[in-house]
Amino acid sequence: MFQKSDPPVNKKKKRRKMSEKDTETFDVLELAEHVKKQRWWNKMFGKNQSGPAAEKYSVATQLAIGGVTGWCAGYLFQKVGKLAASAVGGGFFLLQIAHHTGYIKVDWKRVEQDVNKAKKQLKLNTDKPTAEVRTKFNEVQVFVKKNIVLTGGFAGGFLLGLAS
């Protein structure tokens, strides 16, 4: 597990008495400290935190990662969107058939009043975005600025996924 060139890790000698004559000695390694010093760990996860992808991967790799994930997201968005549109449209279609055949009676004036009431409430609540929404929006802006190639690849892949 450890190479000879590795510096000694914080080893502590522990003794445990088995009996009066026999004592067993074993080493306890501070593995967390040792792992932090390893090059592969720093290469994979960064020294302190994961920085922008621009610092870790080449432009071609970033475009490929962004394009593939964007295509997958666009393709799934397309399929789920078709399914949702079919479900909502089919529901309205069945509602109209049930209304015209006399199974249900819809009070359209009440529906219109409720829709207008909901519109007024939405207009009142959309004057200012909440602090949480502003914070998330700022985080997205910072991410896009730091990873512009990756997000560009994602956007292109997303559009291709929608088209396929």
Side-chain angles (χ1 to χ4, degrees), residues 48-105:
N48 294 329
Q49 61 185 14
S50 60
E55 295 174 0
K56 295 181 181 181
Y57 302 106
S58 68
V59 173
T61 305
Q62 291 178 56
L63 279 174
I65 291 171
V68 169
T69 56
W71 182 86
C72 291
Y75 186 77
L76 287 174
F77 188 79
Q78 174 200 29
K79 295 298 179 185
V80 170
K82 283 183 180 178
L83 180 66
S86 298
V88 171
F92 282 127
F93 181 70
L94 290 175
L95 183 67
Q96 285 295 329
I97 289 175
H99 175 68
H100 284 291
T101 54
Y103 285 107
I104 59 172
K105 185 173 180 176

CSV table of all heavy atoms in Angstrom, one decimal, residues 48-105:
chain,number,residue,atom,x,y,z
A,48,ASN,N,-7.9,22.2,-2.1
A,48,ASN,CA,-8.8,22.6,-1.1
A,48,ASN,C,-10.2,22.4,-1.4
A,48,ASN,O,-11.0,22.0,-0.6
A,48,ASN,CB,-8.6,24.1,-0.7
A,48,ASN,CG,-7.2,24.3,-0.1
A,48,ASN,OD1,-6.7,23.5,0.6
A,48,ASN,ND2,-6.6,25.5,-0.3
A,49,GLN,N,-10.6,22.8,-2.7
A,49,GLN,CA,-11.9,22.6,-3.1
A,49,GLN,C,-11.9,22.4,-4.6
A,49,GLN,O,-10.9,22.6,-5.3
A,49,GLN,CB,-12.8,23.9,-2.8
A,49,GLN,CG,-12.2,25.1,-3.5
A,49,GLN,CD,-13.0,26.3,-3.1
A,49,GLN,OE1,-13.7,26.3,-2.1
A,49,GLN,NE2,-12.8,27.4,-3.8
A,50,SER,N,-13.0,22.0,-5.1
A,50,SER,CA,-13.1,21.7,-6.6
A,50,SER,C,-13.3,23.1,-7.2
A,50,SER,O,-14.3,23.8,-7.0
A,50,SER,CB,-14.2,20.8,-7.0
A,50,SER,OG,-15.4,21.3,-6.6
A,51,GLY,N,-12.4,23.5,-8.1
A,51,GLY,CA,-12.4,24.8,-8.8
A,51,GLY,C,-13.2,24.6,-10.1
A,51,GLY,O,-13.8,23.6,-10.3
A,52,PRO,N,-13.1,25.6,-10.9
A,52,PRO,CA,-13.8,25.5,-12.2
A,52,PRO,C,-13.2,24.5,-13.1
A,52,PRO,O,-12.0,24.2,-13.0
A,52,PRO,CB,-13.7,26.9,-12.8
A,52,PRO,CG,-12.6,27.6,-12.0
A,52,PRO,CD,-12.5,26.9,-10.7
A,53,ALA,N,-14.0,23.9,-14.0
A,53,ALA,CA,-13.5,22.9,-14.8
A,53,ALA,C,-12.4,23.4,-15.8
A,53,ALA,O,-11.6,22.6,-16.3
A,53,ALA,CB,-14.7,22.3,-15.6
A,54,ALA,N,-12.4,24.7,-16.0
A,54,ALA,CA,-11.4,25.3,-16.9
A,54,ALA,C,-10.0,25.1,-16.4
A,54,ALA,O,-9.0,25.0,-17.2
A,54,ALA,CB,-11.7,26.8,-17.1
A,55,GLU,N,-9.8,24.9,-15.1
A,55,GLU,CA,-8.5,24.7,-14.5
A,55,GLU,C,-8.1,23.3,-14.6
A,55,GLU,O,-7.0,22.9,-14.4
A,55,GLU,CB,-8.5,25.2,-13.1
A,55,GLU,CG,-8.7,26.7,-12.9
A,55,GLU,CD,-8.8,27.1,-11.5
A,55,GLU,OE1,-8.8,26.2,-10.6
A,55,GLU,OE2,-9.0,28.3,-11.2
A,56,LYS,N,-9.1,22.4,-14.8
A,56,LYS,CA,-8.8,20.9,-14.7
A,56,LYS,C,-8.7,20.2,-16.0
A,56,LYS,O,-7.9,19.3,-16.1
A,56,LYS,CB,-9.9,20.2,-13.8
A,56,LYS,CG,-9.9,20.7,-12.4
A,56,LYS,CD,-11.0,19.9,-11.7
A,56,LYS,CE,-11.1,20.3,-10.3
A,56,LYS,NZ,-12.1,19.6,-9.5
A,57,TYR,N,-9.5,20.6,-17.0
A,57,TYR,CA,-9.5,19.9,-18.2
A,57,TYR,C,-9.3,20.8,-19.4
A,57,TYR,O,-9.5,22.0,-19.4
A,57,TYR,CB,-10.9,19.3,-18.4
A,57,TYR,CG,-11.3,18.4,-17.3
A,57,TYR,CD1,-12.2,18.7,-16.3
A,57,TYR,CD2,-10.7,17.1,-17.2
A,57,TYR,CE1,-12.6,17.9,-15.3
A,57,TYR,CE2,-11.1,16.3,-16.1
A,57,TYR,CZ,-12.0,16.7,-15.2
A,57,TYR,OH,-12.3,15.8,-14.2
A,58,SER,N,-8.9,20.2,-20.5
A,58,SER,CA,-8.6,20.9,-21.8
A,58,SER,C,-10.0,21.4,-22.3
A,58,SER,O,-11.0,21.0,-22.0
A,58,SER,CB,-7.9,20.1,-22.8
A,58,SER,OG,-8.7,19.0,-23.2
A,59,VAL,N,-9.9,22.3,-23.3
A,59,VAL,CA,-11.0,22.9,-23.9
A,59,VAL,C,-11.8,21.8,-24.6
A,59,VAL,O,-13.1,21.8,-24.5
A,59,VAL,CB,-10.7,24.0,-24.9
A,59,VAL,CG1,-11.9,24.5,-25.7
A,59,VAL,CG2,-10.1,25.2,-24.1
A,60,ALA,N,-11.1,20.9,-25.3
A,60,ALA,CA,-11.8,19.8,-26.1
A,60,ALA,C,-12.6,18.9,-25.1
A,60,ALA,O,-13.7,18.5,-25.3
A,60,ALA,CB,-10.8,19.0,-26.9
A,61,THR,N,-12.0,18.6,-24.0
A,61,THR,CA,-12.6,17.8,-23.0
A,61,THR,C,-13.8,18.5,-22.4
A,61,THR,O,-14.9,17.8,-22.2
A,61,THR,CB,-11.6,17.4,-21.8
A,61,THR,OG1,-10.5,16.8,-22.4
A,61,THR,CG2,-12.2,16.4,-20.8
A,62,GLN,N,-13.7,19.7,-22.1
A,62,GLN,CA,-14.9,20.5,-21.6
A,62,GLN,C,-16.0,20.5,-22.5
A,62,GLN,O,-17.2,20.3,-22.2
A,62,GLN,CB,-14.4,21.9,-21.2
A,62,GLN,CG,-13.5,22.0,-20.1
A,62,GLN,CD,-13.1,23.5,-19.8
A,62,GLN,OE1,-14.0,24.3,-19.6
A,62,GLN,NE2,-11.8,23.8,-19.8
A,63,LEU,N,-15.7,20.8,-23.8
A,63,LEU,CA,-16.8,20.8,-24.8
A,63,LEU,C,-17.4,19.4,-25.0
A,63,LEU,O,-18.6,19.3,-25.1
A,63,LEU,CB,-16.2,21.2,-26.2
A,63,LEU,CG,-16.0,22.7,-26.4
A,63,LEU,CD1,-15.3,23.0,-27.7
A,63,LEU,CD2,-17.4,23.4,-26.4
A,64,ALA,N,-16.6,18.3,-24.9
A,64,ALA,CA,-17.2,17.0,-25.0
A,64,ALA,C,-18.1,16.7,-23.8
A,64,ALA,O,-19.2,16.2,-24.0
A,64,ALA,CB,-16.0,16.0,-25.1
A,65,ILE,N,-17.6,17.0,-22.6
A,65,ILE,CA,-18.4,16.7,-21.4
A,65,ILE,C,-19.7,17.5,-21.4
A,65,ILE,O,-20.8,17.0,-21.2
A,65,ILE,CB,-17.6,17.0,-20.1
A,65,ILE,CG1,-16.5,16.0,-20.0
A,65,ILE,CG2,-18.5,17.0,-18.9
A,65,ILE,CD1,-15.5,16.3,-18.9
A,66,GLY,N,-19.6,18.8,-21.7
A,66,GLY,CA,-20.7,19.7,-21.8
A,66,GLY,C,-21.7,19.2,-22.9
A,66,GLY,O,-22.9,19.2,-22.7
A,67,GLY,N,-21.2,18.9,-24.1
A,67,GLY,CA,-22.0,18.5,-25.2
A,67,GLY,C,-22.8,17.2,-24.9
A,67,GLY,O,-24.0,17.1,-25.2
A,68,VAL,N,-22.1,16.2,-24.3
A,68,VAL,CA,-22.7,14.9,-24.1
A,68,VAL,C,-23.8,15.1,-23.0
A,68,VAL,O,-24.9,14.6,-23.1
A,68,VAL,CB,-21.7,13.8,-23.7
A,68,VAL,CG1,-22.3,12.6,-23.1
A,68,VAL,CG2,-20.8,13.5,-24.8
A,69,THR,N,-23.5,15.8,-21.9
A,69,THR,CA,-24.5,15.9,-20.8
A,69,THR,C,-25.6,16.8,-21.3
A,69,THR,O,-26.8,16.6,-21.0
A,69,THR,CB,-23.9,16.6,-19.6
A,69,THR,OG1,-23.2,17.8,-19.9
A,69,THR,CG2,-22.9,15.6,-18.9
A,70,GLY,N,-25.3,17.8,-22.2
A,70,GLY,CA,-26.4,18.6,-22.7
A,70,GLY,C,-27.3,17.9,-23.6
A,70,GLY,O,-28.5,18.0,-23.6
A,71,TRP,N,-26.7,17.0,-24.5
A,71,TRP,CA,-27.5,16.2,-25.4
A,71,TRP,C,-28.4,15.3,-24.6
A,71,TRP,O,-29.6,15.1,-24.9
A,71,TRP,CB,-26.6,15.4,-26.3
A,71,TRP,CG,-27.5,14.6,-27.3
A,71,TRP,CD1,-28.0,15.0,-28.5
A,71,TRP,CD2,-27.9,13.2,-27.1
A,71,TRP,NE1,-28.7,14.0,-29.1
A,71,TRP,CE2,-28.7,12.9,-28.2
A,71,TRP,CE3,-27.7,12.3,-26.1
A,71,TRP,CZ2,-29.3,11.6,-28.4
A,71,TRP,CZ3,-28.3,11.0,-26.3
A,71,TRP,CH2,-29.1,10.7,-27.4
A,72,CYS,N,-27.9,14.6,-23.5
A,72,CYS,CA,-28.7,13.7,-22.7
A,72,CYS,C,-29.9,14.5,-22.0
A,72,CYS,O,-31.0,14.0,-22.0
A,72,CYS,CB,-27.8,13.1,-21.6
A,72,CYS,SG,-26.7,11.9,-22.3
A,73,ALA,N,-29.5,15.7,-21.5
A,73,ALA,CA,-30.6,16.5,-20.9
A,73,ALA,C,-31.6,16.9,-21.9
A,73,ALA,O,-32.8,16.9,-21.6
A,73,ALA,CB,-30.0,17.7,-20.2
A,74,GLY,N,-31.2,17.3,-23.1
A,74,GLY,CA,-32.2,17.8,-24.1
A,74,GLY,C,-33.0,16.7,-24.6
A,74,GLY,O,-34.2,16.8,-24.8
A,75,TYR,N,-32.4,15.5,-24.8
A,75,TYR,CA,-33.2,14.3,-25.2
A,75,TYR,C,-34.3,13.9,-24.2
A,75,TYR,O,-35.4,13.7,-24.5
A,75,TYR,CB,-32.2,13.2,-25.5
A,75,TYR,CG,-32.9,12.0,-26.1
A,75,TYR,CD1,-33.2,11.9,-27.4
A,75,TYR,CD2,-33.2,10.8,-25.3
A,75,TYR,CE1,-33.8,10.8,-28.0
A,75,TYR,CE2,-33.8,9.7,-25.9
A,75,TYR,CZ,-34.1,9.7,-27.2
A,75,TYR,OH,-34.7,8.6,-27.8
A,76,LEU,N,-33.8,13.9,-22.9
A,76,LEU,CA,-34.8,13.5,-21.8
A,76,LEU,C,-35.9,14.6,-21.7
A,76,LEU,O,-37.1,14.3,-21.5
A,76,LEU,CB,-34.1,13.4,-20.5
A,76,LEU,CG,-33.3,12.1,-20.4
A,76,LEU,CD1,-32.5,12.1,-19.1
A,76,LEU,CD2,-34.2,10.9,-20.4
A,77,PHE,N,-35.5,15.9,-21.8
A,77,PHE,CA,-36.5,17.0,-21.8
A,77,PHE,C,-37.5,16.8,-22.9
A,77,PHE,O,-38.7,17.1,-22.7
A,77,PHE,CB,-35.7,18.3,-21.9
A,77,PHE,CG,-36.6,19.5,-21.6
A,77,PHE,CD1,-36.9,19.9,-20.4
A,77,PHE,CD2,-37.0,20.3,-22.7
A,77,PHE,CE1,-37.7,21.0,-20.1
A,77,PHE,CE2,-37.8,21.4,-22.5
A,77,PHE,CZ,-38.1,21.8,-21.2
A,78,GLN,N,-37.0,16.5,-24.1
A,78,GLN,CA,-37.9,16.3,-25.2
A,78,GLN,C,-38.9,15.2,-24.9
A,78,GLN,O,-40.1,15.3,-25.2
A,78,GLN,CB,-37.1,16.0,-26.5
A,78,GLN,CG,-38.0,15.7,-27.7
A,78,GLN,CD,-37.2,14.9,-28.7
A,78,GLN,OE1,-36.2,14.2,-28.4
A,78,GLN,NE2,-37.6,15.1,-30.0
A,79,LYS,N,-38.4,14.0,-24.5
A,79,LYS,CA,-39.3,12.9,-24.3
A,79,LYS,C,-40.3,13.1,-23.1
A,79,LYS,O,-41.5,12.8,-23.2
A,79,LYS,CB,-38.5,11.6,-23.9
A,79,LYS,CG,-37.6,11.2,-25.1
A,79,LYS,CD,-38.4,10.8,-26.3
A,79,LYS,CE,-37.6,10.4,-27.4
A,79,LYS,NZ,-38.3,10.1,-28.6
A,80,VAL,N,-39.8,13.7,-22.0
A,80,VAL,CA,-40.7,14.0,-20.9
A,80,VAL,C,-41.7,15.1,-21.3
A,80,VAL,O,-42.9,15.0,-20.9
A,80,VAL,CB,-39.9,14.4,-19.7
A,80,VAL,CG1,-40.8,14.9,-18.5
A,80,VAL,CG2,-39.1,13.2,-19.2
A,81,GLY,N,-41.3,16.1,-22.1
A,81,GLY,CA,-42.2,17.1,-22.5
A,81,GLY,C,-43.3,16.6,-23.4
A,81,GLY,O,-44.4,17.0,-23.2
A,82,LYS,N,-43.0,15.7,-24.3
A,82,LYS,CA,-44.0,15.1,-25.1
A,82,LYS,C,-45.0,14.3,-24.3
A,82,LYS,O,-46.2,14.4,-24.5
A,82,LYS,CB,-43.4,14.2,-26.2
A,82,LYS,CG,-42.7,14.9,-27.3
A,82,LYS,CD,-42.2,13.9,-28.3
A,82,LYS,CE,-41.6,14.5,-29.5
A,82,LYS,NZ,-41.0,13.6,-30.5
A,83,LEU,N,-44.5,13.6,-23.3
A,83,LEU,CA,-45.3,12.8,-22.4
A,83,LEU,C,-46.3,13.7,-21.6
A,83,LEU,O,-47.5,13.5,-21.5
A,83,LEU,CB,-44.5,11.9,-21.5
A,83,LEU,CG,-45.3,11.0,-20.5
A,83,LEU,CD1,-46.0,10.0,-21.3
A,83,LEU,CD2,-44.3,10.4,-19.5
A,84,ALA,N,-45.7,14.8,-21.1
A,84,ALA,CA,-46.5,15.7,-20.3
A,84,ALA,C,-47.6,16.4,-21.1
A,84,ALA,O,-48.7,16.6,-20.7
A,84,ALA,CB,-45.6,16.7,-19.6
A,85,ALA,N,-47.2,16.8,-22.3
A,85,ALA,CA,-48.1,17.5,-23.2
A,85,ALA,C,-49.2,16.5,-23.6
A,85,ALA,O,-50.4,16.9,-23.7
A,85,ALA,CB,-47.4,18.0,-24.5
A,86,SER,N,-48.9,15.3,-23.9
A,86,SER,CA,-49.9,14.3,-24.2
A,86,SER,C,-50.9,14.1,-23.0
A,86,SER,O,-52.1,14.0,-23.3
A,86,SER,CB,-49.3,13.0,-24.6
A,86,SER,OG,-48.5,13.2,-25.7
A,87,ALA,N,-50.3,14.0,-21.8
A,87,ALA,CA,-51.2,13.8,-20.7
A,87,ALA,C,-52.1,15.0,-20.4
A,87,ALA,O,-53.3,14.8,-20.2
A,87,ALA,CB,-50.3,13.5,-19.4
A,88,VAL,N,-51.6,16.2,-20.5
A,88,VAL,CA,-52.4,17.4,-20.2
A,88,VAL,C,-53.5,17.5,-21.3
A,88,VAL,O,-54.7,17.8,-21.1
A,88,VAL,CB,-51.6,18.6,-20.1
A,88,VAL,CG1,-52.4,19.9,-20.1
A,88,VAL,CG2,-50.7,18.5,-18.8
A,89,GLY,N,-53.0,17.4,-22.6
A,89,GLY,CA,-54.0,17.5,-23.7
A,89,GLY,C,-55.0,16.4,-23.7
A,89,GLY,O,-56.2,16.7,-23.9
A,90,GLY,N,-54.6,15.2,-23.4
A,90,GLY,CA,-55.6,14.1,-23.3
A,90,GLY,C,-56.6,14.3,-22.1
A,90,GLY,O,-57.8,14.0,-22.3
A,91,GLY,N,-56.1,14.9,-21.0
A,91,GLY,CA,-57.0,15.2,-19.9
A,91,GLY,C,-58.1,16.2,-20.3
A,91,GLY,O,-59.2,16.1,-20.0
A,92,PHE,N,-57.6,17.3,-21.0
A,92,PHE,CA,-58.6,18.3,-21.4
A,92,PHE,C,-59.6,17.7,-22.5
A,92,PHE,O,-60.8,18.1,-22.5
A,92,PHE,CB,-57.9,19.5,-22.0
A,92,PHE,CG,-57.3,20.5,-21.0
A,92,PHE,CD1,-56.0,20.8,-21.0
A,92,PHE,CD2,-58.1,21.0,-20.0
A,92,PHE,CE1,-55.5,21.7,-20.1
A,92,PHE,CE2,-57.6,21.8,-19.0
A,92,PHE,CZ,-56.3,22.2,-19.1
A,93,PHE,N,-59.1,16.9,-23.3
A,93,PHE,CA,-59.9,16.3,-24.3
A,93,PHE,C,-61.0,15.4,-23.7
A,93,PHE,O,-62.2,15.5,-24.0
A,93,PHE,CB,-59.0,15.4,-25.3
A,93,PHE,CG,-59.8,14.7,-26.4
A,93,PHE,CD1,-60.4,15.4,-27.4
A,93,PHE,CD2,-59.9,13.3,-26.3
A,93,PHE,CE1,-61.1,14.8,-28.4
A,93,PHE,CE2,-60.6,12.7,-27.4
A,93,PHE,CZ,-61.2,13.4,-28.4
A,94,LEU,N,-60.6,14.6,-22.7
A,94,LEU,CA,-61.6,13.8,-22.0
A,94,LEU,C,-62.5,14.6,-21.2
A,94,LEU,O,-63.7,14.3,-21.1
A,94,LEU,CB,-60.8,12.8,-21.0
A,94,LEU,CG,-60.1,11.7,-21.7
A,94,LEU,CD1,-59.3,10.8,-20.7
A,94,LEU,CD2,-61.0,10.8,-22.5
A,95,LEU,N,-62.1,15.7,-20.6
A,95,LEU,CA,-62.9,16.6,-19.9
A,95,LEU,C,-64.0,17.2,-20.8
A,95,LEU,O,-65.2,17.3,-20.4
A,95,LEU,CB,-62.1,17.8,-19.2
A,95,LEU,CG,-62.9,18.8,-18.4
A,95,LEU,CD1,-63.4,18.1,-17.1
A,95,LEU,CD2,-61.9,19.9,-18.0
A,96,GLN,N,-63.6,17.6,-22.0
A,96,GLN,CA,-64.6,18.2,-23.0
A,96,GLN,C,-65.6,17.1,-23.4
A,96,GLN,O,-66.8,17.4,-23.5
A,96,GLN,CB,-63.8,18.7,-24.2
A,96,GLN,CG,-63.1,20.1,-23.9
A,96,GLN,CD,-64.1,21.2,-23.6
A,96,GLN,OE1,-65.3,21.2,-24.1
A,96,GLN,NE2,-63.7,22.1,-22.7
A,97,ILE,N,-65.1,15.9,-23.7
A,97,ILE,CA,-66.0,14.9,-24.1
A,97,ILE,C,-67.0,14.6,-22.9
A,97,ILE,O,-68.3,14.5,-23.2
A,97,ILE,CB,-65.3,13.6,-24.4
A,97,ILE,CG1,-64.5,13.8,-25.7
A,97,ILE,CG2,-66.2,12.4,-24.5
A,97,ILE,CD1,-63.6,12.6,-26.1
A,98,ALA,N,-66.5,14.5,-21.7
A,98,ALA,CA,-67.4,14.2,-20.6
A,98,ALA,C,-68.4,15.4,-20.4
A,98,ALA,O,-69.6,15.2,-20.0
A,98,ALA,CB,-66.6,14.1,-19.3
A,99,HIS,N,-68.0,16.6,-20.6
A,99,HIS,CA,-68.9,17.8,-20.5
A,99,HIS,C,-70.0,17.8,-21.6
A,99,HIS,O,-71.2,18.0,-21.3
A,99,HIS,CB,-68.1,19.1,-20.6
A,99,HIS,CG,-68.9,20.3,-20.6
A,99,HIS,ND1,-69.6,20.7,-19.5
A,99,HIS,CD2,-69.2,21.2,-21.6
A,99,HIS,CE1,-70.3,21.8,-19.8
A,99,HIS,NE2,-70.0,22.2,-21.0
A,100,HIS,N,-69.6,17.5,-22.8
A,100,HIS,CA,-70.6,17.5,-23.9
A,100,HIS,C,-71.5,16.3,-23.9
A,100,HIS,O,-72.7,16.4,-24.4
A,100,HIS,CB,-69.8,17.5,-25.3
A,100,HIS,CG,-69.3,18.8,-25.6
A,100,HIS,ND1,-70.0,19.9,-25.9
A,100,HIS,CD2,-68.0,19.2,-25.7
A,100,HIS,CE1,-69.3,20.9,-26.2
A,100,HIS,NE2,-68.0,20.6,-26.0
A,101,THR,N,-71.1,15.2,-23.3
A,101,THR,CA,-72.0,14.1,-23.2
A,101,THR,C,-72.9,14.1,-21.9
A,101,THR,O,-73.8,13.3,-21.8
A,101,THR,CB,-71.3,12.7,-23.2
A,101,THR,OG1,-70.3,12.7,-22.2
A,101,THR,CG2,-70.6,12.5,-24.5
A,102,GLY,N,-72.7,15.1,-21.1
A,102,GLY,CA,-73.5,15.3,-19.9
A,102,GLY,C,-73.1,14.6,-18.7
A,102,GLY,O,-73.8,14.6,-17.7
A,103,TYR,N,-71.9,14.0,-18.6
A,103,TYR,CA,-71.4,13.4,-17.4
A,103,TYR,C,-71.0,14.4,-16.3
A,103,TYR,O,-71.2,14.1,-15.2
A,103,TYR,CB,-70.2,12.5,-17.7
A,103,TYR,CG,-70.6,11.2,-18.4
A,103,TYR,CD1,-70.3,11.0,-19.7
A,103,TYR,CD2,-71.2,10.1,-17.7
A,103,TYR,CE1,-70.7,9.8,-20.4
A,103,TYR,CE2,-71.6,9.0,-18.3
A,103,TYR,CZ,-71.3,8.8,-19.7
A,103,TYR,OH,-71.6,7.7,-20.3
A,104,ILE,N,-70.5,15.5,-16.8
A,104,ILE,CA,-70.1,16.5,-15.8
A,104,ILE,C,-70.6,17.9,-16.3
A,104,ILE,O,-70.9,18.1,-17.5
A,104,ILE,CB,-68.6,16.6,-15.6
A,104,ILE,CG1,-67.9,16.9,-16.9
A,104,ILE,CG2,-68.1,15.4,-14.9
A,104,ILE,CD1,-66.4,17.2,-16.7
A,105,LYS,N,-70.8,18.8,-15.3
A,105,LYS,CA,-71.2,20.2,-15.7
A,105,LYS,C,-70.2,21.1,-15.1
A,105,LYS,O,-69.9,21.1,-13.9
A,105,LYS,CB,-72.6,20.5,-15.1
A,105,LYS,CG,-73.1,21.8,-15.6
A,105,LYS,CD,-74.5,22.0,-15.2
A,105,LYS,CE,-74.9,23.4,-15.7
A,105,LYS,NZ,-76.3,23.7,-15.4
